[in-house]
Amino acid sequence: MQKEIIIHNNRKVTKTTKKNGAISYTQRGVYIGIDVKTGKKITSSITAKTLRSLDRKIIQARFDFEAKGSTLKETLNISNFEELAEAWFTSFVTWVSSQNTINRVRGYLDTYIIPKFGDYKPEEIKSADIQIWVNKLAQQSKKSVESGAKKSKKGHAKDFGAVVYKLSDIFDYGITNFELANNPARAVKIPPKPKANKERIMVLHEDELAAWLTYLNSLPNTRANRRFRVICDTLLASALRINELLALTIQDLDFEANEILVNKTLMWKAGNKKLGIKGTMVCKNSAKTDSGNRRVAVPKQILEDLQAFHNEMSCYFEKHNLPTVDLIFPTIYGNYMCDRNERATLKKRLTELGLPNYGFHLFRHTHASLMLNAGANWKELQIRMGHKSIKTTMDTYAELAPKKKAEAVEIYLREIAKLTD
């Protein structure tokens, strides 16, 4: 291979002759233009087989640079609203720390936003399109609530307002990153949330609770039923949230103080069907809130039942030559347990008994009702429930203590009687 420098149109060009006689011409440091994002001069090396072809390639390189926006910086292009929404969501995941929030917003995209606007060009979506759509969502939600359904159909829930706010966030992202001209979602008026006609009873009162406890004790003595019984009994005695309970390890049981240490919770990390990623349970090494990190006093029998079930699972793992785990409620593979199957079992059994079937949170509410009726003060209850504010405790549970309501009337009558004697 032989190289020599020649002058072509007052420019230095490297002529390369290969052993087989093939010739090429290379000009280095060819000025392409000014990068509009950095303000720097852009140069390039261009090679061609002939000098005439070299001149054409130099001109074409300058045209191509202008056509790409006169920048070498990476620029994302979108062809429809789905691509814009996915680009926004990729950034959104880095902005928030709550996996539950990520799961909820992913649901908004998959259930509402992408099915409706995914194929649209973002700049062609008008405020009227969104207004008609959200009005329809509100109507569907209202019908669902008025029907008395305990769980709305997919896409018929009351969170349509939150969906529109996220839609607006996506348009704002498009304005910032993709030079969209406007945000049509800002002009949309969100209809009010529909209100249920009847109050939902989310507590087991005395007769109902007695029936439930009797039923629990009558279940056949299988491992699945033993686990179910320990879960229900512990939730009732401690007011833990179900995913706080399923995150417990044997080290979280304090037998000296008869307390359960609550300092973590499980959450569902949604998968991605497009990428072939399955959802999974993950452990967040902190409770739902800072005040959720707490120690909850429980009867000693509860701790003994939890320890007994942990020992039972450890024996299972040893019998099958599997590594033991510290979790009290592991799967048979030693992983974190999802409450989905247990929740389905609970609702089925509550329904069969004619009891309210609002999932495991029913026991948390029932615990609060029992405590209030027995005379516990609000501050004590706030700490047990793990609420940040006592206002949250009072707003949530003020209606769950019918005995206290009756006591208020009796106190009033006694005081009036003193004045009229």
Side-chain angles (χ1 to χ4, degrees), residues 66-95:
E66 292 179 6
K68 292 179 181 179
S70 297
T71 181
L72 296 181
K73 297 294 181 181
E74 181 181 4
T75 301
L76 296 175
N77 294 313
I78 56 171
S79 59
N80 57 35
F81 191 80
E82 180 176 3
E83 292 180 4
L84 173 60
E86 293 294 353
W88 170 83
F89 185 73
T90 299
S91 295
F92 177 79
V93 170
T94 68
W95 301 334

Side-chain angles (χ1 to χ4, degrees), residues 149-203:
K150 291 172 183 173
K151 186 174 182 181
S152 300
K153 293 181 182 179
K154 191 173 183 179
H156 290 211
K158 295 192 291 183
D159 52 0
F160 52 83
V163 173
V164 176
Y165 287 128
K166 285 293 170 281
L167 182 66
S168 181
D169 288 346
I170 295 170
F171 277 112
D172 283 342
Y173 182 82
I175 292 172
T176 302
N177 296 277
F178 298 100
E179 299 182 352
L180 286 184
N182 70 310
N183 181 348
R186 289 181 187 170
V188 171
K189 184 173 178 59
I190 299 174
K193 282 186 179 182
K195 295 182 179 180
N197 294 326
K198 295 182 180 180
E199 258 187 60
R200 300 171 69 186
I201 303 172
M202 296 185 68
V203 62

Side-chain angles (χ1 to χ4, degrees), residues 251-269:
Q251 288 83 8
D252 296 321
L253 308 183
D254 185 343
F255 282 88
E256 291 186 5
N258 286 340
E259 292 177 335
I260 295 175
L261 282 68
V262 183
N263 52 26
K264 50 188 171 292
T265 188
L266 299 186
M267 58 182 61
W268 177 254
K269 185 176 182 180

Side-chain angles (χ1 to χ4, degrees), residues 93-143:
V93 170
T94 68
W95 301 334
V96 297
S97 58
S98 170
Q99 187 60 49
N100 288 336
T101 300
I102 292 172
N103 292 345
R104 183 173 65 253
V105 173
R106 183 71 250 181
Y108 292 163
L109 293 181
D110 295 338
T111 303
Y112 297 98
I113 295 174
I114 291 177
K116 175 61 180 179
F117 297 112
D119 294 332
Y120 284 52
K121 291 182 179 180
E123 62 274 14
E124 296 300 324
I125 300 175
K126 308 301 180 186
S127 296
D129 299 326
I130 301 173
Q131 188 68 67
I132 293 171
W133 173 63
V134 73
N135 288 349
K136 182 178 179 182
L137 293 180
Q139 291 168 3
Q140 291 175 168
S141 177
K142 184 178 179 182
K143 289 180 181 178

Side-chain angles (χ1 to χ4, degrees), residues 392-404:
T392 302
T393 311
M394 297 180 75
D395 289 348
T396 305
Y397 297 112
E399 297 297 317
L400 299 186
K403 283 187 178 180
K404 288 298 176 184

